[in-house]
Amino acid sequence: EEWRNDMKDKLVAINQSLPTTPAGDGFDDVGGKAQAVQLWISSVLSTIVHYKAQHRSLLNEAATALQLASPNDVVLENVLPFLKLPSYTFEGED
């Protein structure tokens, strides 16, 4: 729930700031809109990386608890493959 609200806020924020941000002249003045969008994208990606790390940590804790509570062959063959996430990497993520 927390991550959902946080991401909604971030996605709405750009629509609130862009209308009043100067666009620039298109030549040597990039303007505030381009910079605002770049900062916003960076902020959104940082938030995604943060929540992805939290999610992975929770999955690892759950997998450990399952390994301790279940026979090893059940966990290795059925549970752990189900919990694996695609390995997407975002800029700034280690």
Side-chain angles (χ1 to χ4, degrees), residues 57-85:
S57 175
L58 290 172
L59 285 177
N60 287 339
E61 286 178 31
T64 299
L66 282 170
Q67 280 181 318
L68 295 173
S70 303
N72 203 29
D73 60 329
V74 171
V75 174
L76 291 175
E77 292 175 15
N78 300 304
V79 178
L80 292 180
F82 178 76
L83 293 177
K84 286 189 179 178
L85 293 174

PDB file of all heavy atoms in Angstrom, residues 57-85:
ATOM      1  N   SER A  57      14.127  -8.209  -0.449  1.00  0.00           N
ATOM      2  CA  SER A  57      14.454  -8.565   0.926  1.00  0.00           C
ATOM      3  C   SER A  57      13.312  -9.360   1.576  1.00  0.00           C
ATOM      4  O   SER A  57      13.540 -10.367   2.254  1.00  0.00           O
ATOM      5  CB  SER A  57      14.743  -7.290   1.732  1.00  0.00           C
ATOM      6  OG  SER A  57      14.947  -7.595   3.084  1.00  0.00           O
ATOM      7  N   LEU A  58      12.083  -8.894   1.358  1.00  0.00           N
ATOM      8  CA  LEU A  58      10.923  -9.608   1.910  1.00  0.00           C
ATOM      9  C   LEU A  58      10.789 -11.006   1.297  1.00  0.00           C
ATOM     10  O   LEU A  58      10.461 -11.966   2.004  1.00  0.00           O
ATOM     11  CB  LEU A  58       9.644  -8.805   1.679  1.00  0.00           C
ATOM     12  CG  LEU A  58       9.524  -7.524   2.497  1.00  0.00           C
ATOM     13  CD1 LEU A  58       8.314  -6.710   2.042  1.00  0.00           C
ATOM     14  CD2 LEU A  58       9.449  -7.835   3.977  1.00  0.00           C
ATOM     15  N   LEU A  59      11.042 -11.114   0.002  1.00  0.00           N
ATOM     16  CA  LEU A  59      10.986 -12.433  -0.635  1.00  0.00           C
ATOM     17  C   LEU A  59      12.049 -13.369  -0.072  1.00  0.00           C
ATOM     18  O   LEU A  59      11.790 -14.551   0.150  1.00  0.00           O
ATOM     19  CB  LEU A  59      11.160 -12.306  -2.150  1.00  0.00           C
ATOM     20  CG  LEU A  59       9.966 -11.786  -2.926  1.00  0.00           C
ATOM     21  CD1 LEU A  59      10.321 -11.653  -4.408  1.00  0.00           C
ATOM     22  CD2 LEU A  59       8.757 -12.678  -2.759  1.00  0.00           C
ATOM     23  N   ASN A  60      13.245 -12.837   0.155  1.00  0.00           N
ATOM     24  CA  ASN A  60      14.311 -13.664   0.723  1.00  0.00           C
ATOM     25  C   ASN A  60      13.949 -14.134   2.130  1.00  0.00           C
ATOM     26  O   ASN A  60      14.208 -15.283   2.493  1.00  0.00           O
ATOM     27  CB  ASN A  60      15.637 -12.913   0.729  1.00  0.00           C
ATOM     28  CG  ASN A  60      16.230 -12.789  -0.654  1.00  0.00           C
ATOM     29  OD1 ASN A  60      15.901 -13.555  -1.545  1.00  0.00           O
ATOM     30  ND2 ASN A  60      17.096 -11.806  -0.846  1.00  0.00           N
ATOM     31  N   GLU A  61      13.357 -13.248   2.935  1.00  0.00           N
ATOM     32  CA  GLU A  61      12.921 -13.633   4.280  1.00  0.00           C
ATOM     33  C   GLU A  61      11.860 -14.724   4.206  1.00  0.00           C
ATOM     34  O   GLU A  61      11.899 -15.701   4.963  1.00  0.00           O
ATOM     35  CB  GLU A  61      12.357 -12.430   5.030  1.00  0.00           C
ATOM     36  CG  GLU A  61      13.390 -11.444   5.494  1.00  0.00           C
ATOM     37  CD  GLU A  61      12.758 -10.238   6.187  1.00  0.00           C
ATOM     38  OE1 GLU A  61      11.693 -10.392   6.812  1.00  0.00           O
ATOM     39  OE2 GLU A  61      13.345  -9.148   6.098  1.00  0.00           O
ATOM     40  N   ALA A  62      10.908 -14.558   3.292  1.00  0.00           N
ATOM     41  CA  ALA A  62       9.844 -15.550   3.141  1.00  0.00           C
ATOM     42  C   ALA A  62      10.416 -16.892   2.672  1.00  0.00           C
ATOM     43  O   ALA A  62      10.017 -17.956   3.161  1.00  0.00           O
ATOM     44  CB  ALA A  62       8.783 -15.057   2.168  1.00  0.00           C
ATOM     45  N   ALA A  63      11.355 -16.848   1.739  1.00  0.00           N
ATOM     46  CA  ALA A  63      11.968 -18.073   1.244  1.00  0.00           C
ATOM     47  C   ALA A  63      12.731 -18.783   2.353  1.00  0.00           C
ATOM     48  O   ALA A  63      12.665 -20.011   2.474  1.00  0.00           O
ATOM     49  CB  ALA A  63      12.896 -17.762   0.070  1.00  0.00           C
ATOM     50  N   THR A  64      13.416 -18.036   3.182  1.00  0.00           N
ATOM     51  CA  THR A  64      14.144 -18.623   4.309  1.00  0.00           C
ATOM     52  C   THR A  64      13.173 -19.282   5.284  1.00  0.00           C
ATOM     53  O   THR A  64      13.406 -20.403   5.746  1.00  0.00           O
ATOM     54  CB  THR A  64      14.985 -17.551   5.030  1.00  0.00           C
ATOM     55  OG1 THR A  64      15.925 -17.013   4.101  1.00  0.00           O
ATOM     56  CG2 THR A  64      15.724 -18.133   6.219  1.00  0.00           C
ATOM     57  N   ALA A  65      12.089 -18.597   5.592  1.00  0.00           N
ATOM     58  CA  ALA A  65      11.088 -19.162   6.503  1.00  0.00           C
ATOM     59  C   ALA A  65      10.492 -20.439   5.919  1.00  0.00           C
ATOM     60  O   ALA A  65      10.283 -21.427   6.640  1.00  0.00           O
ATOM     61  CB  ALA A  65       9.992 -18.142   6.773  1.00  0.00           C
ATOM     62  N   LEU A  66      10.228 -20.434   4.616  1.00  0.00           N
ATOM     63  CA  LEU A  66       9.690 -21.638   3.976  1.00  0.00           C
ATOM     64  C   LEU A  66      10.692 -22.782   3.994  1.00  0.00           C
ATOM     65  O   LEU A  66      10.329 -23.943   4.188  1.00  0.00           O
ATOM     66  CB  LEU A  66       9.275 -21.325   2.540  1.00  0.00           C
ATOM     67  CG  LEU A  66       7.955 -20.587   2.384  1.00  0.00           C
ATOM     68  CD1 LEU A  66       7.783 -20.131   0.944  1.00  0.00           C
ATOM     69  CD2 LEU A  66       6.793 -21.468   2.806  1.00  0.00           C
ATOM     70  N   GLN A  67      11.960 -22.456   3.784  1.00  0.00           N
ATOM     71  CA  GLN A  67      12.987 -23.504   3.807  1.00  0.00           C
ATOM     72  C   GLN A  67      13.074 -24.150   5.175  1.00  0.00           C
ATOM     73  O   GLN A  67      13.273 -25.353   5.290  1.00  0.00           O
ATOM     74  CB  GLN A  67      14.346 -22.940   3.419  1.00  0.00           C
ATOM     75  CG  GLN A  67      14.512 -22.776   1.931  1.00  0.00           C
ATOM     76  CD  GLN A  67      15.882 -22.224   1.567  1.00  0.00           C
ATOM     77  OE1 GLN A  67      16.384 -21.328   2.221  1.00  0.00           O
ATOM     78  NE2 GLN A  67      16.458 -22.763   0.504  1.00  0.00           N
ATOM     79  N   LEU A  68      12.924 -23.346   6.220  1.00  0.00           N
ATOM     80  CA  LEU A  68      13.005 -23.884   7.575  1.00  0.00           C
ATOM     81  C   LEU A  68      11.772 -24.702   7.931  1.00  0.00           C
ATOM     82  O   LEU A  68      11.842 -25.646   8.715  1.00  0.00           O
ATOM     83  CB  LEU A  68      13.196 -22.747   8.579  1.00  0.00           C
ATOM     84  CG  LEU A  68      14.511 -21.976   8.464  1.00  0.00           C
ATOM     85  CD1 LEU A  68      14.512 -20.778   9.396  1.00  0.00           C
ATOM     86  CD2 LEU A  68      15.697 -22.889   8.752  1.00  0.00           C
ATOM     87  N   ALA A  69      10.623 -24.347   7.358  1.00  0.00           N
ATOM     88  CA  ALA A  69       9.367 -24.988   7.726  1.00  0.00           C
ATOM     89  C   ALA A  69       8.968 -26.141   6.820  1.00  0.00           C
ATOM     90  O   ALA A  69       8.122 -26.940   7.184  1.00  0.00           O
ATOM     91  CB  ALA A  69       8.250 -23.943   7.730  1.00  0.00           C
ATOM     92  N   SER A  70       9.547 -26.247   5.647  1.00  0.00           N
ATOM     93  CA  SER A  70       9.120 -27.247   4.673  1.00  0.00           C
ATOM     94  C   SER A  70      10.246 -28.213   4.352  1.00  0.00           C
ATOM     95  O   SER A  70      11.418 -27.876   4.494  1.00  0.00           O
ATOM     96  CB  SER A  70       8.702 -26.557   3.369  1.00  0.00           C
ATOM     97  OG  SER A  70       7.694 -25.626   3.598  1.00  0.00           O
ATOM     98  N   PRO A  71       9.870 -29.390   3.876  1.00  0.00           N
ATOM     99  CA  PRO A  71      10.920 -30.305   3.398  1.00  0.00           C
ATOM    100  C   PRO A  71      11.700 -29.638   2.261  1.00  0.00           C
ATOM    101  O   PRO A  71      11.130 -28.943   1.424  1.00  0.00           O
ATOM    102  CB  PRO A  71      10.132 -31.511   2.879  1.00  0.00           C
ATOM    103  CG  PRO A  71       8.781 -31.408   3.510  1.00  0.00           C
ATOM    104  CD  PRO A  71       8.551 -29.953   3.778  1.00  0.00           C
ATOM    105  N   ASN A  72      12.990 -29.853   2.228  1.00  0.00           N
ATOM    106  CA  ASN A  72      13.878 -29.167   1.299  1.00  0.00           C
ATOM    107  C   ASN A  72      13.490 -29.375  -0.162  1.00  0.00           C
ATOM    108  O   ASN A  72      13.541 -28.440  -0.962  1.00  0.00           O
ATOM    109  CB  ASN A  72      15.322 -29.607   1.534  1.00  0.00           C
ATOM    110  CG  ASN A  72      16.309 -28.583   1.024  1.00  0.00           C
ATOM    111  OD1 ASN A  72      15.995 -27.399   1.005  1.00  0.00           O
ATOM    112  ND2 ASN A  72      17.477 -29.019   0.616  1.00  0.00           N
ATOM    113  N   ASP A  73      13.102 -30.581  -0.544  1.00  0.00           N
ATOM    114  CA  ASP A  73      12.790 -30.838  -1.948  1.00  0.00           C
ATOM    115  C   ASP A  73      11.551 -30.060  -2.404  1.00  0.00           C
ATOM    116  O   ASP A  73      11.473 -29.587  -3.534  1.00  0.00           O
ATOM    117  CB  ASP A  73      12.615 -32.328  -2.230  1.00  0.00           C
ATOM    118  CG  ASP A  73      11.488 -32.952  -1.420  1.00  0.00           C
ATOM    119  OD1 ASP A  73      11.240 -32.471  -0.298  1.00  0.00           O
ATOM    120  OD2 ASP A  73      10.876 -33.916  -1.914  1.00  0.00           O
ATOM    121  N   VAL A  74      10.576 -29.852  -1.515  1.00  0.00           N
ATOM    122  CA  VAL A  74       9.377 -29.080  -1.856  1.00  0.00           C
ATOM    123  C   VAL A  74       9.758 -27.624  -2.119  1.00  0.00           C
ATOM    124  O   VAL A  74       9.324 -27.008  -3.100  1.00  0.00           O
ATOM    125  CB  VAL A  74       8.318 -29.162  -0.733  1.00  0.00           C
ATOM    126  CG1 VAL A  74       7.186 -28.185  -0.982  1.00  0.00           C
ATOM    127  CG2 VAL A  74       7.801 -30.581  -0.599  1.00  0.00           C
ATOM    128  N   VAL A  75      10.588 -27.070  -1.260  1.00  0.00           N
ATOM    129  CA  VAL A  75      10.994 -25.666  -1.407  1.00  0.00           C
ATOM    130  C   VAL A  75      11.812 -25.476  -2.675  1.00  0.00           C
ATOM    131  O   VAL A  75      11.546 -24.575  -3.474  1.00  0.00           O
ATOM    132  CB  VAL A  75      11.797 -25.191  -0.172  1.00  0.00           C
ATOM    133  CG1 VAL A  75      12.353 -23.795  -0.387  1.00  0.00           C
ATOM    134  CG2 VAL A  75      10.916 -25.217   1.072  1.00  0.00           C
ATOM    135  N   LEU A  76      12.799 -26.324  -2.899  1.00  0.00           N
ATOM    136  CA  LEU A  76      13.685 -26.166  -4.054  1.00  0.00           C
ATOM    137  C   LEU A  76      12.966 -26.371  -5.381  1.00  0.00           C
ATOM    138  O   LEU A  76      13.235 -25.667  -6.347  1.00  0.00           O
ATOM    139  CB  LEU A  76      14.865 -27.129  -3.944  1.00  0.00           C
ATOM    140  CG  LEU A  76      15.866 -26.837  -2.832  1.00  0.00           C
ATOM    141  CD1 LEU A  76      16.917 -27.943  -2.762  1.00  0.00           C
ATOM    142  CD2 LEU A  76      16.526 -25.493  -3.034  1.00  0.00           C
ATOM    143  N   GLU A  77      12.048 -27.303  -5.438  1.00  0.00           N
ATOM    144  CA  GLU A  77      11.398 -27.625  -6.708  1.00  0.00           C
ATOM    145  C   GLU A  77      10.171 -26.766  -7.010  1.00  0.00           C
ATOM    146  O   GLU A  77       9.841 -26.544  -8.164  1.00  0.00           O
ATOM    147  CB  GLU A  77      11.002 -29.103  -6.721  1.00  0.00           C
ATOM    148  CG  GLU A  77      12.198 -30.031  -6.746  1.00  0.00           C
ATOM    149  CD  GLU A  77      11.803 -31.490  -6.641  1.00  0.00           C
ATOM    150  OE1 GLU A  77      10.620 -31.807  -6.836  1.00  0.00           O
ATOM    151  OE2 GLU A  77      12.695 -32.312  -6.358  1.00  0.00           O
ATOM    152  N   ASN A  78       9.481 -26.289  -5.975  1.00  0.00           N
ATOM    153  CA  ASN A  78       8.200 -25.609  -6.208  1.00  0.00           C
ATOM    154  C   ASN A  78       8.155 -24.149  -5.771  1.00  0.00           C
ATOM    155  O   ASN A  78       7.588 -23.316  -6.468  1.00  0.00           O
ATOM    156  CB  ASN A  78       7.069 -26.363  -5.507  1.00  0.00           C
ATOM    157  CG  ASN A  78       6.947 -27.782  -6.009  1.00  0.00           C
ATOM    158  OD1 ASN A  78       6.789 -27.985  -7.201  1.00  0.00           O
ATOM    159  ND2 ASN A  78       7.040 -28.745  -5.122  1.00  0.00           N
ATOM    160  N   VAL A  79       8.729 -23.845  -4.634  1.00  0.00           N
ATOM    161  CA  VAL A  79       8.556 -22.506  -4.065  1.00  0.00           C
ATOM    162  C   VAL A  79       9.577 -21.518  -4.613  1.00  0.00           C
ATOM    163  O   VAL A  79       9.210 -20.448  -5.104  1.00  0.00           O
ATOM    164  CB  VAL A  79       8.624 -22.553  -2.522  1.00  0.00           C
ATOM    165  CG1 VAL A  79       8.495 -21.150  -1.944  1.00  0.00           C
ATOM    166  CG2 VAL A  79       7.534 -23.462  -1.981  1.00  0.00           C
ATOM    167  N   LEU A  80      10.849 -21.830  -4.546  1.00  0.00           N
ATOM    168  CA  LEU A  80      11.882 -20.878  -4.962  1.00  0.00           C
ATOM    169  C   LEU A  80      11.765 -20.473  -6.431  1.00  0.00           C
ATOM    170  O   LEU A  80      11.891 -19.284  -6.741  1.00  0.00           O
ATOM    171  CB  LEU A  80      13.272 -21.415  -4.637  1.00  0.00           C
ATOM    172  CG  LEU A  80      13.593 -21.503  -3.143  1.00  0.00           C
ATOM    173  CD1 LEU A  80      15.006 -22.051  -2.934  1.00  0.00           C
ATOM    174  CD2 LEU A  80      13.435 -20.166  -2.462  1.00  0.00           C
ATOM    175  N   PRO A  81      11.513 -21.387  -7.365  1.00  0.00           N
ATOM    176  CA  PRO A  81      11.338 -20.934  -8.760  1.00  0.00           C
ATOM    177  C   PRO A  81      10.159 -19.974  -8.922  1.00  0.00           C
ATOM    178  O   PRO A  81      10.209 -19.050  -9.723  1.00  0.00           O
ATOM    179  CB  PRO A  81      11.087 -22.234  -9.529  1.00  0.00           C
ATOM    180  CG  PRO A  81      11.713 -23.295  -8.697  1.00  0.00           C
ATOM    181  CD  PRO A  81      11.522 -22.846  -7.277  1.00  0.00           C
ATOM    182  N   PHE A  82       9.124 -20.159  -8.144  1.00  0.00           N
ATOM    183  CA  PHE A  82       7.955 -19.281  -8.208  1.00  0.00           C
ATOM    184  C   PHE A  82       8.283 -17.875  -7.714  1.00  0.00           C
ATOM    185  O   PHE A  82       7.763 -16.891  -8.207  1.00  0.00           O
ATOM    186  CB  PHE A  82       6.817 -19.876  -7.369  1.00  0.00           C
ATOM    187  CG  PHE A  82       5.596 -19.025  -7.323  1.00  0.00           C
ATOM    188  CD1 PHE A  82       4.734 -18.962  -8.404  1.00  0.00           C
ATOM    189  CD2 PHE A  82       5.300 -18.263  -6.207  1.00  0.00           C
ATOM    190  CE1 PHE A  82       3.600 -18.178  -8.378  1.00  0.00           C
ATOM    191  CE2 PHE A  82       4.177 -17.469  -6.162  1.00  0.00           C
ATOM    192  CZ  PHE A  82       3.317 -17.426  -7.255  1.00  0.00           C
ATOM    193  N   LEU A  83       9.174 -17.765  -6.726  1.00  0.00           N
ATOM    194  CA  LEU A  83       9.505 -16.469  -6.133  1.00  0.00           C
ATOM    195  C   LEU A  83      10.519 -15.666  -6.928  1.00  0.00           C
ATOM    196  O   LEU A  83      10.710 -14.488  -6.669  1.00  0.00           O
ATOM    197  CB  LEU A  83      10.050 -16.652  -4.710  1.00  0.00           C
ATOM    198  CG  LEU A  83       9.060 -17.164  -3.670  1.00  0.00           C
ATOM    199  CD1 LEU A  83       9.769 -17.353  -2.343  1.00  0.00           C
ATOM    200  CD2 LEU A  83       7.884 -16.226  -3.526  1.00  0.00           C
ATOM    201  N   LYS A  84      11.169 -16.269  -7.899  1.00  0.00           N
ATOM    202  CA  LYS A  84      12.192 -15.546  -8.659  1.00  0.00           C
ATOM    203  C   LYS A  84      11.556 -14.432  -9.478  1.00  0.00           C
ATOM    204  O   LYS A  84      10.534 -14.612 -10.116  1.00  0.00           O
ATOM    205  CB  LYS A  84      12.956 -16.485  -9.577  1.00  0.00           C
ATOM    206  CG  LYS A  84      13.910 -17.366  -8.821  1.00  0.00           C
ATOM    207  CD  LYS A  84      14.789 -18.118  -9.751  1.00  0.00           C
ATOM    208  CE  LYS A  84      15.747 -18.973  -8.914  1.00  0.00           C
ATOM    209  NZ  LYS A  84      16.611 -19.766  -9.739  1.00  0.00           N
ATOM    210  N   LEU A  85      12.199 -13.275  -9.445  1.00  0.00           N
ATOM    211  CA  LEU A  85      11.749 -12.120 -10.209  1.00  0.00           C
ATOM    212  C   LEU A  85      12.620 -11.953 -11.445  1.00  0.00           C
ATOM    213  O   LEU A  85      13.789 -12.342 -11.442  1.00  0.00           O
ATOM    214  CB  LEU A  85      11.878 -10.848  -9.358  1.00  0.00           C
ATOM    215  CG  LEU A  85      10.979 -10.742  -8.150  1.00  0.00           C
ATOM    216  CD1 LEU A  85      11.348  -9.498  -7.360  1.00  0.00           C
ATOM    217  CD2 LEU A  85       9.528 -10.680  -8.567  1.00  0.00           C
TER     218      LEU A  85
END
